[in-house]
């Protein structure tokens, strides 16, 4: 790898181990084995590098999420069973990427005071929502429509809420069956009893 790639790998390692706010330029340089000056040369600033590393790491975690959803979609013909399997399978993704989930929440809290970070997060929102809409439907991609963005936003909200609950108290995080029950209850209260 070159210095740029080494810096990116070091920054991602720091996100997992130290979080967003506690990572310094010296931490990244040490983790990457590259000089401190190389951060400015390749990325302009530590914040630009850390933001790019966050976006790239989230993309990599998306691959792990995708593998869980694909596997869950093969467990049953019943959509409810597949829904339960997805949310049960995501627990493993939370364990594997715990540091990144925590760093994301930390970064979100700082975004109001970091315009560059807010811009970077804003730029990936739409693509993230369309990606989640496709993923949870078992499709390679979906059209860029208001309906698919809304579907993706729904899944994004569930995922972020689940991550927050899991980070706070993994033993109290809802199961896949809890999610399904909650979805039924909310749907029935809003749309009336489901016809089966």
């Amino acid at each position: 790898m070159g210095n740029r790639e080494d810096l990116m790998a070091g920054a991602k390692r720091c996100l997992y181990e130290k979080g967003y706010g506690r990572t310094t330029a010296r931490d990244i340089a040490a983790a990457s084995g590259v000089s401190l000056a190389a951060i400015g040369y390749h990325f302009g600033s530590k914040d630009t590098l850390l933001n790019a590393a966050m976006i790239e790491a989230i993309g990599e975690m998306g691959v792990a999420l995708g593998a869980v959803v694909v596997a869950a979609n093969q467990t049953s013909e019943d959509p409810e069973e597949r829904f339960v399997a997805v949310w049960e399978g995501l627990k493993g993704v939370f364990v594997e990427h715990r540091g990144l989930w925590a760093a994301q929440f930390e970064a979100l809290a700082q975004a109001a005071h970091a315009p560059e970070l807010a811009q970077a997060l804003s730029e990936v929102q739409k693509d993230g929502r369309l990606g989640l809409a496709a993923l949870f439907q078992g499709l390679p991609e979906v059209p860029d429509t208001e309906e698919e963005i809304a579907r993706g936003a729904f899944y994004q909200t569930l995922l972020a809420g689940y991550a927050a609950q899991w980070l706070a108290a993994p033993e109290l995080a809802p199961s896949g069956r809890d999610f399904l029950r909650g979805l039924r209850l909310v749907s029935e209260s809003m749309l009336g009893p489901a016809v089966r």
Side-chain angles (χ1 to χ4, degrees), residues 44-60:
S45 72
K46 183 245 341 176
D47 290 340
T48 301
L49 168 55
L50 211 51
N51 295 343
M54 175 77 79
I55 300 302
E56 189 172 297
I58 291 169
E60 292 167 357

Side-chain angles (χ1 to χ4, degrees), residues 6 21 24 27 43 51 74-75 81 84 89-90 122 125 168 171:
D6 290 337
T24 66
D27 293 330
F43 291 93
N51 295 343
Q74 296 171 356
T75 61
E81 289 304 314
V84 169
L90 288 177
S122 175
Q125 280 291 335
E171 69 283 359

Side-chain angles (χ1 to χ4, degrees), residues 119-130:
Q119 180 66 30
L121 293 172
S122 175
E123 288 173 359
V124 297
Q125 280 291 335
K126 183 178 177 184
D127 288 342
R129 288 175 177 174
L130 290 170

Side-chain angles (χ1 to χ4, degrees), residues 122-153:
S122 175
E123 288 173 359
V124 297
Q125 280 291 335
K126 183 178 177 184
D127 288 342
R129 288 175 177 174
L130 290 170
L132 286 171
L135 186 63
F136 278 89
Q137 293 178 81
L139 301 171
E141 63 182 340
V142 293
D144 182 351
T145 64
E146 288 182 19
E147 290 79 13
E148 294 301 342
I149 291 170
R151 187 188 319 266

Side-chain angles (χ1 to χ4, degrees), residues 64-65 68-69 85-95 136 159 162:
L65 288 169
V68 166
V69 175
V86 164
W87 294 101
E88 287 299 319
L90 288 177
K91 290 178 183 176
V93 177
F94 291 144
V95 171
F136 278 89
L159 194 57
Y162 189 25

